[in-house]
Amino acid sequence: MITLNVNGKEHALDVTDDTPILWALRDVIGLTGTKFGCGKALCGACTIHLDGQATRSCITPVSLASGKKITTIESIGETEVGKRVQDAWLALDVVQCGYCQSGQIMSASALLAQTPNPSDEDIDNAMSGNICRCGTYPRIKAAIKNAAKA
Ligand code: FES
Ligand code: FES
């Protein structure tokens, strides 16, 4: 058994220590907003926050989340920065198919929480691991700048 704190709630889970957080979230807890893309930390679709740090949940075992706070796309809008990011995403119609966007928003929110006025280079560095097959990169960058100004 392991206890995970997810979005402010404690969950006692009957999973092995090496279970990736992604599968604990999706298959055991039932939070399916965090997406599976590559399973190898290459696409960013599975990005969550672990104590505020953008983290690839597909390769991070639940054992590393013990005693830490997990935040997912389901609750990022309850944070001040997350709300600004989501509002900017809506205002600029960032989303196309949507599959990558949970991860994009989680990476953008972690960036702005740590760097409130990011340069283009800061944005590129923070977002370079989040792949968007629909090519929404220009809108993502513009929305991050809008959220920083808001
Ligand atoms: S599914 Fe985790 S980085 Fe692609
Ligand atoms: S919006 Fe389709 S993959 Fe990014």
Side-chain angles (χ1 to χ4, degrees):
M1 289 295 267
I2 189 157
T3 300
L4 294 186
N5 183 305
V6 183
N7 300 334
K9 268 185 159 170
E10 300 276 316
H11 296 265
L13 308 178
D14 186 9
V15 296
T16 56
D17 282 358
D18 60 353
T19 302
I21 295 171
L22 177 63
W23 300 120
L25 291 172
R26 290 184 57 88
D27 289 355
V28 185
I29 300 175
L31 290 174
T32 55
T34 306
K35 302 302 183 198
F36 171 73
C38 64
K40 295 181 177 172
L42 297 171
C43 76
C46 66
T47 305
I48 58 163
H49 293 180
L50 203 52
D51 279 350
Q53 300 290 323
T55 301
R56 306 296 188 234
S57 65
C58 67
I59 55 147
T60 308
V62 291
S63 57
L64 290 185
S66 183
K68 296 186 176 171
K69 287 186 192 327
I70 294 172
T71 307
T72 71
I73 189 67
E74 283 86 353
S75 78
I76 194 64
E78 292 164 21
T79 68
E80 190 273 329
V81 171
K83 170 91 171 70
R84 269 194 282 135
V85 169
Q86 289 187 326
D87 286 347
W89 247 242
L90 287 173
L92 292 185
D93 257 339
V94 170
V95 176
Q96 197 158 317
C97 81
Y99 198 83
C100 72
Q101 297 290 334
S102 302
Q104 305 283 2
I105 286 172
M106 296 308 285
S107 289
S109 301
L111 165 67
L112 289 176
Q114 279 154 22
T115 309
N117 290 301
S119 63
D120 278 5
E121 193 183 0
D122 292 332
I123 296 172
D124 291 343
N125 287 340
M127 303 303 294
S128 64
N130 286 81
I131 306 301
C132 176
R133 283 180 171 234
C134 299
T136 64
Y137 302 113
R139 295 203 295 273
I140 287 171
K141 193 177 236 181
I144 291 172
K145 289 182 178 178
N146 268 26
K149 277 192 226 128

